Amino acid sequence: MKIDIMTLFPEMINAVMRESIIGRAQDKGVVEVKATNIRDYALDKHHKADDAPYGGGRGQVMLAEPLYLCHQALSAGEHVHTVFLSAQGQPFNQQKARELLAKEHFILVCGHYEGIDQRFIDECVDEEISIGDFVLTGGEIPAMAVADAVCRMVPGVLPDEEAFTAESHWDGLLEHPQYTRPENWRGREVPEVLLSGHHANIEAWKREMSLRRTKKDRPDLFAQFQPQDKRDKKILDKINSDER
């Protein structure tokens, strides 16, 4: 898996993506996350990457040509799926992360200022992605969030597949509560079933808690959930009965 990130601040990307789990995965050669400075492709000696917008308005707009030349260098004449991180994009979620995982190589474009020249978007961008309905100072944080979400699913990054398939959003539900030592913390006990050693009961409890948490905290997700088997139907009947 190779992810190229086009940015004005490559040091910011490297400071995060070279650390922890993703950093170790890069050291092993399992994934590659490379930040490239757009200013390196500017056409003037001052490495200018932005200018005032046509039509007036506040702020600056990133120039199309440095973006295009940087993109061309990274794509090397081939079509590489390209994502612009934008507050106007489609919401990023686990399903989109899985779609990007299927691509061997993709490019993330970080905007800044008031945005980037629309002509570059029309020429080179395949899709726009947003990490939420809010505005940040640049696309670096969203790009790192997307890269992290995708890279952690690459085989060899985490110990095994269950490390991410059992987490929130993989199957449309939130994850069950987690506990560790001590058994009693400030008068709060670990649920007895987790100490029982009874695997089937523990798994049933985790599924029930996952469904209950999703219904309580994310009713929008719960409304879309479809029971996977008889166990799910039984748990849902229990939850509905408790609420009557």
Side-chain angles (χ1 to χ4, degrees):
M1 166 63 68
K2 180 179 181 181
I3 303 174
D4 278 303
I5 301 179
M6 295 171 49
T7 174
L8 296 177
F9 301 98
E11 297 85 0
M12 182 179 178
I13 302 290
N14 292 330
V16 174
M17 303 308 293
R18 295 299 313 182
E19 296 292 333
S20 190
I21 292 172
I22 306 303
R24 292 195 293 272
Q26 292 205 70
D27 291 340
K28 293 190 297 183
V30 178
V31 299
E32 179 183 357
V33 182
K34 181 183 177 184
T36 299
N37 195 333
I38 297 165
R39 293 187 189 278
D40 291 344
Y41 295 87
L43 301 179
D44 69 316
K45 64 180 181 179
H46 300 294
H47 302 289
K48 186 177 177 63
D50 60 277
D51 208 333
Y54 281 123
R58 300 176 63 182
Q60 300 286 93
V61 174
M62 293 180 67
L63 295 162
E65 191 65 4
L67 286 163
Y68 178 77
L69 294 175
C70 181
H71 186 269
Q72 288 295 103
L74 296 177
S75 59
E78 301 291 332
H79 176 265
V80 178
H81 189 80
T82 301
V83 177
F84 173 41
L85 286 310
S86 165
Q88 301 171 5
Q90 292 297 310
F92 183 66
N93 54 29
Q94 192 67 36
Q95 178 56 39
K96 176 54 65 176
R98 291 163 75 172
E99 291 175 15
L100 292 174
L101 177 66
K103 303 181 185 302
E104 294 182 3
H105 179 201
F106 61 90
I107 297 171
L108 299 174
V109 182
C110 302
H112 257 277
Y113 314 119
E114 292 303 306
I116 67 179
D117 193 306
Q118 181 65 40
R119 292 169 293 184
F120 170 77
I121 297 174
D122 296 339
E123 180 71 21
C124 300
V125 171
D126 294 293
E127 62 177 328
E128 298 182 42
I129 286 178
S130 168
I131 63 167
D133 295 334
F134 51 87
V135 179
L136 298 172
T137 55
E140 283 73 22
I141 291 174
M144 289 187 284
V146 170
D148 187 284
V150 174
C151 284
R152 67 193 307 275
M153 294 187 290
V154 174
V157 174
L158 296 179
D160 53 58
E161 190 176 272
E162 190 176 350
F164 56 83
T165 60
E167 293 183 326
S168 293
H169 301 295
W170 181 261
D171 60 356
L173 297 175
L174 302 185
E175 190 177 6
H176 58 82
Q178 300 279 5
Y179 299 88
T180 188
R181 294 179 177 81
E183 293 180 19
N184 183 306
W185 178 77
R186 297 180 180 269
R188 296 178 182 271
E189 300 278 355
V190 173
E192 186 175 344
V193 64
L194 298 180
L195 308 175
S196 68
H198 194 296
H199 181 73
N201 288 349
I202 291 172
E203 291 304 310
W205 178 88
K206 288 180 178 180
R207 188 64 172 179
E208 180 178 342
M209 292 303 103
S210 177
L211 284 161
R212 287 185 182 275
R213 172 175 276 183
T214 305
K215 186 171 186 180
K216 175 179 177 291
D217 296 339
R218 290 293 303 273
D220 56 322
L221 294 178
F222 187 81
Q224 302 175 41
F225 176 72
Q226 296 295 323
Q228 302 296 306
D229 49 33
K230 292 181 179 179
R231 182 187 67 172
D232 279 353
K233 293 178 181 179
K234 185 176 180 179
I235 293 173
L236 290 173
D237 288 342
K238 180 181 178 182
I239 292 173
N240 291 330
S241 177
D242 290 346
E243 294 178 349
R244 291 194 186 103

